[in-house]
Amino acid sequence: MTVTTPATEIDLYTDESVLAPYENYRELRSIGPAVWMETYGAWAVPRYREVYEALHDHESFSSASGVGLSEELNRVMAGGTIASDPPEHDRIRRVLGRQLTPKALRHHQVYVEQRATALVDELVERGSFDAVTDFAQTFPVGLVPDLLGWPEAERANLLDWAAAGFNALGPMNERTLAGMPVLKGLWEFLGQLASTRDLRPDSWGANLVAAVDAGEVPKELLPTLLGDFLVPSLDTTVSSLSAAIWLLGTHPEQWKQIREDHSLIPNAFNEIVRYETPARGFCRLLTRDRELDGLTLPAGSRVFLLYASANRDERFWENPDDFDIRRPNVAAHLAFGHGLHGCVGQGLARMEAHALLKELAKRVERIETGEPTWRRHNTIRGLEALPTTLHV
């Protein structure tokens, strides 16, 4: 019997696909549990069940050789939290994660809420603003470097560095190449910071240095781990915060429900990141032949786990293209990954979003949004601009 390999010529990285990805994801899901991408010589895994399975099988789906499509960048990025397997991954994550446990984050709850109040005060006073630059970027860029103990003089490049880091996870296309000089600047700065240790005492960054000095992780990993704290905590949060304004502005009846019942905010945020998943997905390398729903993927294959497609999979979700803040099983989304590589910083992202949405819900009757402009980016699904007016 001849088995036909499900294959496609769909290019997920054209401008058209980046700006409007969901029809391509739907087509990939209709083709099979895994689909060979002719353009990139890798498998795309577009359905929920198979992505979930892969995220819980690190022995077959390895992260240690990098999680991007470009082997050049994978070689450079290997060894950090996202690009490692147990037992190395467990040791690194334990050091990073101790700053980000629910108990540790509770110490920052009041600080985060105070900053949320201050920002919403300012935006209510202004009335009209851009939800991306003035809201979604302003909050994490002001907050995260403070927690990390980042030098004040080195904050202007943070968003460019984060964008280049995520772009590099795609293929070696124009976006990746354009970000290479920026990424080089980030690597040089991280190396310098690891050497000078110019970090505020008792900050997350200083605690990481102390763990290195105590021998918990190798000294040569310090620049990578400092970057692991910074890069994932910015672009994905910016994406989810701007999506929140857009979705709640265009669904006023759901915003009204949140205003009337603030306990809906956690579920609403889960639905926001399910519906507009910030990072479209990450790659793995198969260490052995692996079957997905009757299809065998050979060892040595690069496999692209499409979180954003899985979060719209009609086989798992009821009416997946509807935005519904009361969706009953929405906590099962894969926007932050799952399993041992689940996003270590998701607790901080949730704390930021919950604080901002609660403060807006107290003050704002209606969110009016204009025409959104979407980013052209290899990995991050996000808005570039969103004219917004708050009606109190």
Side-chain angles (χ1 to χ4, degrees), residues 97-108 204:
R98 66 175 58 132
Q99 325 286 336
L100 297 162
T101 64
K103 181 179 179 181
L105 286 174
R106 277 196 292 273
H107 293 293
H108 304 288
W204 290 356

Side-chain angles (χ1 to χ4, degrees), residues 283-301:
C283 289
R284 300 289 191 269
L285 188 70
L286 275 178
T287 61
R288 54 195 178 198
D289 291 357
R290 181 62 155 75
E291 184 180 296
L292 291 179
D293 194 23
L295 178 68
T296 299
L297 279 57
S301 299

Side-chain angles (χ1 to χ4, degrees), residues 321-335:
D321 294 325
D322 292 347
F323 177 70
D324 179 8
I325 62 168
R326 293 182 180 269
R327 186 176 294 277
N329 64 332
V330 69
H333 71 78
L334 303 178

